[in-house]
């Protein structure tokens, strides 16, 4: 939805890509991780259009077919 890779979003959230992958997994998955409240606030701000100065330039090829939303 944001046009970012999991690694890019991880850097913006001050975590790593694997943590983002775990947050995007189905809740039933044994490795699913619920995002911290601060991460949810940032993601909502990003979805609403906020862009920090270190926002990465999206790579359309890397995000083709992406669309998972953290809730």
């Amino acid at each position: 939805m944001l046009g970012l890779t999991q690694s890019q979003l991880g850097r913006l959230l001050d975590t790593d890509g694997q943590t983002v992958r775990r947050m995007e997994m189905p809740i039933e998955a044994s490795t699913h991780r619920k995002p911290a409240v601060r991460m949810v606030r940032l993601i909502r701000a990003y979805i609403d259009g906020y862009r920090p100065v270190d926002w990465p330039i999206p790579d359309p090829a890397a995000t083709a077919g992406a669309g998972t939303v953290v809730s």
Side-chain angles (χ1 to χ4, degrees), residues 25-43:
M25 289 181 172
I27 293 172
E28 306 81 33
S30 63
T31 55
H32 169 78
R33 296 293 177 262
K34 184 176 178 179
V37 172
R38 66 180 171 78
M39 291 179 179
V40 173
R41 286 186 189 138
L42 279 171
I43 292 167

Side-chain angles (χ1 to χ4, degrees), residues 18-31:
Q18 182 158 347
T19 299
V20 174
R21 281 188 287 285
R22 288 178 175 166
M23 292 187 309
E24 292 182 338
M25 289 181 172
I27 293 172
E28 306 81 33
S30 63
T31 55

Side-chain angles (χ1 to χ4, degrees), residues 1-14:
M1 177 180 255
L2 295 170
L4 302 172
T5 66
Q6 291 169 330
S7 283
Q8 289 171 326
L9 182 57
R11 280 191 296 277
L12 290 169
L13 297 175
D14 198 24

